[in-house]
Each structure stands twice: as structure tokens, then as C-alpha cells.
Amino acid sequence: RTQPGSILHAGGDARAPGCGLPFGVRAGHAGAMELDELVAREAIRELVAAYAHAADGGRFAELADLFAPDGVLETPDTVAHRGRDAILAMLQGARRSLADATAASLVRHHVSNLRIVVTGPDDATGSAYFLVLTARGLDHWGRYRDRYVRVGSDWRFAHRRVRLDGRGG
């Protein structure tokens, strides 16, 4: 049972900044957000951050392991790479083409406005915006549309759809 004023308490006077709803209460839902949902959301946030950091560091085997065994990475060319081995092969090919195109090794993914909807104890969806900087400046930007699943005790990408909105000049 939650205490008045705690972030899980629906009736207290703790309010989320700018939205008028008590912390932990979702629009259209009565009652407090359950602790397991908060834990899932935080684990998914960490998953999304781990993806960006692994990509930036060129640690593609680590990045591929962030997907469920039968997970899908759908790239902007609408090709769906299914399974960790296929995802890893595609990423290694991308590394070679990037190395051919530029000598710059600096890559920084910036992810913002992550929105997570927990749809069950073992699944969730999400969306976010991203932009990628290299030593030459802004390279490309777009959107992620994700489906997450719990694999054992860990959250993994079941499907990540990458859509480009633009490229730098």
C-alpha cells in the first residue's frame, strides 16, 4: 500500500510538473501506476540507452544481443533483419561502408522524447526521436518505433523500426 505523497500514491498532492496529474497516474487511468510497470519502464529506458551507447562504440555484437533471439531490426531501406546473427551481419556491413565513406570515428546517437506504453507484464511498445552526430556534424535524424519483450528477467527489442526524416548536407 502506498503512502500519501509518494510517487505511487494516486490521491496525494504530489503532481507531475506541467500536467496536473499526480505522479504515477496516466491520463485516462484511475489509480496508481504499479511498481512492476515502473520497473519495466526503467529497464526499457536502459535498453534504449544501451543500444545508443553500443552503436556509438561500434560494439555491434553487444547491440545485437539487445534483441530477442528472433528480434527484428527494420532499417530505413525497409529491410527487416530477423535474428541476432542477421542483425550483427548487417551492422558489420554498415561499419565497413561507414569506414569507406569517412575517416571520422566519432558517432553519437542522441535519443529524446522516449514514450513507453507497457501493454502487459512481458511486452511494451515505445517511440522516440533520434539524431546522429559525427565529427563532420549532424549526419542523420529520424524516429524509432519499438516493440519490447521480456526475455527471462531482461527486456529486449522484439522489433525496432528505424525511419529517417533527414540527412545532413
Side-chain angles (χ1 to χ4, degrees), residues 3-109:
Q3 298 297 314
S6 79
I7 66 167
L8 299 178
H9 182 71
D13 59 5
R15 302 250 171 212
C19 77
L21 293 173
F23 277 105
V25 176
R26 295 170 287 169
H29 290 76
M33 188 179 299
E34 297 295 325
L35 182 58
D36 60 343
E37 183 175 347
L38 290 172
V39 170
R41 287 171 176 273
E42 191 55 30
I44 291 167
R45 276 187 243 292
E46 185 61 30
L47 173 69
V48 171
Y51 178 100
H53 284 269
D56 291 348
R59 298 184 310 275
F60 296 137
E62 183 180 317
L63 189 151
D65 284 343
L66 298 173
F67 284 81
D70 62 344
V72 174
L73 176 58
E74 186 179 340
T75 56
D77 54 8
T78 65
V79 174
H81 308 276
R82 182 175 299 280
R84 292 174 176 161
D85 290 341
I87 292 168
L88 180 58
M90 183 277 299
L91 292 168
Q92 289 171 331
R95 177 194 325 222
R96 284 188 293 278
S97 81
L98 182 61
D100 292 343
T102 178
S105 61
L106 173 73
V107 177
R108 296 292 180 264
H109 285 75

Side-chain angles (χ1 to χ4, degrees), residues 101-123:
T102 178
S105 61
L106 173 73
V107 177
R108 296 292 180 264
H109 285 75
H110 294 267
V111 180
S112 65
N113 298 337
L114 176 59
R115 185 150 191 204
I116 300 166
V117 177
V118 178
T119 54
D122 297 323
D123 51 75

